[in-house]
Amino acid sequence: MITKDSIETAYSFFHQKRNVYIHSKMDWQKDDIEYAISSYVETMSKDLYNKISQGRKDFLLSHSTFEADITFAVDILEKMSANF
């Protein structure tokens, strides 16, 4: 079950981390953000993760697609929150 609180919590966390990530010039900072997000993914609602990942097992977990994934996650969570 996906709750409004779980959507808003994920959105707030991802949005804040994404904003730092896309403007950061420091590789170590980007690595720290990727680690924080992957740790969060492990504990977040599985239903919510499955919804935003659209079935991709490596969503938000792959360095090569992380920036696109987190941007997509923020966008979809924002839409979900508005439509809840």
Side-chain angles (χ1 to χ4, degrees), residues 27-46:
D27 288 337
W28 66 266
Q29 187 176 40
K30 288 183 171 190
D31 290 342
D32 285 354
I33 291 169
E34 288 181 35
Y35 178 77
I37 295 294
S38 69
S39 295
Y40 183 82
V41 163
E42 291 177 12
T43 63
M44 74 184 291
S45 159
K46 297 302 175 203

Side-chain angles (χ1 to χ4, degrees), residues 15-73:
H15 184 267
Q16 186 258 353
K17 295 298 184 193
R18 180 190 141 291
N19 286 346
V20 174
Y21 189 90
I22 63 174
H23 296 293
S24 180
K25 303 290 185 217
M26 298 173 276
D27 288 337
W28 66 266
Q29 187 176 40
K30 288 183 171 190
D31 290 342
D32 285 354
I33 291 169
E34 288 181 35
Y35 178 77
I37 295 294
S38 69
S39 295
Y40 183 82
V41 163
E42 291 177 12
T43 63
M44 74 184 291
S45 159
K46 297 302 175 203
D47 290 336
L48 181 57
Y49 179 75
N50 290 335
K51 177 83 172 171
I52 66 173
S53 70
Q54 299 181 337
R56 278 190 42 219
K57 301 286 186 223
D58 65 342
F59 185 75
L60 294 169
L61 304 174
S62 172
H63 176 74
S64 62
T65 60
F66 183 79
E67 188 170 345
D69 289 351
I70 197 159
T71 298
F72 181 80

